Amino acid sequence: MSEERCRQIMFVNRWYAATLLSYRIGSVDRDELLGNLRVLCRGGAFAECWERTAEHRRPLPEDSFGARVGREVDTLLEERVDDPDEWWVVGSPLM
C-alpha cells in the first residue's frame, strides 16, 4: 500500500470514529449519523478500510452499538455498489 493510500485510509477511519463519537455524545441525531455515514461510504478509501477491518468487527456482540452501526454501513456500501447514483436515498434503518 502506498503512503498516500495509507494516509487516506487513516483519515477515513478517523472520520468514521469522530462520526460515531458525535452521535454517542448527542452532537448529532440518528438521521445526521446516517447522512454522515452515507457520505463517508461514497469513497473508495472507506470501502477499503471497511474491508480491511472486518475481522475486528466480527467479535462484537450482535446487539452492541458497534455491530448495529456496522450492519448499517454494510448496507450503505452494498447500496453504493448496486446503484452509485442513488447514494443519497434513505433506506430502511437497521439500528
Side-chain angles (χ1 to χ4, degrees):
M1 176 184 317
S2 71
E3 186 176 325
E4 180 180 353
R5 189 59 166 183
C6 185
R7 285 185 191 151
Q8 291 170 344
I9 289 175
M10 287 180 4
F11 176 79
V12 296
N13 188 44
R14 288 182 184 175
W15 182 3
Y16 174 72
T19 299
L20 295 185
L21 180 61
S22 295
Y23 176 76
R24 299 216 44 181
I25 65 171
S27 293
V28 299
D29 64 18
R30 186 178 176 288
D31 290 337
E32 291 171 308
L33 170 67
L34 293 177
N36 286 327
L37 291 175
R38 193 166 274 107
V39 171
L40 187 59
C41 287
R42 292 287 296 152
F46 183 76
E48 183 177 345
C49 175
W50 195 251
E51 182 180 321
R52 288 177 177 266
T53 59
E55 77 177 58
H56 299 284
R57 291 185 301 281
R58 283 191 195 109
L60 294 174
E62 182 89 12
D63 61 340
S64 70
F65 175 71
R68 290 191 317 267
V69 171
R71 288 189 298 273
E72 187 69 35
V73 170
D74 288 340
T75 300
L76 292 171
L77 287 170
E78 287 172 18
E79 289 172 357
R80 173 183 170 260
V81 171
D82 291 343
D83 196 353
D85 294 331
E86 296 290 324
W87 66 272
W88 52 271
V89 176
V90 177
S92 60
L94 295 177
M95 295 192 316

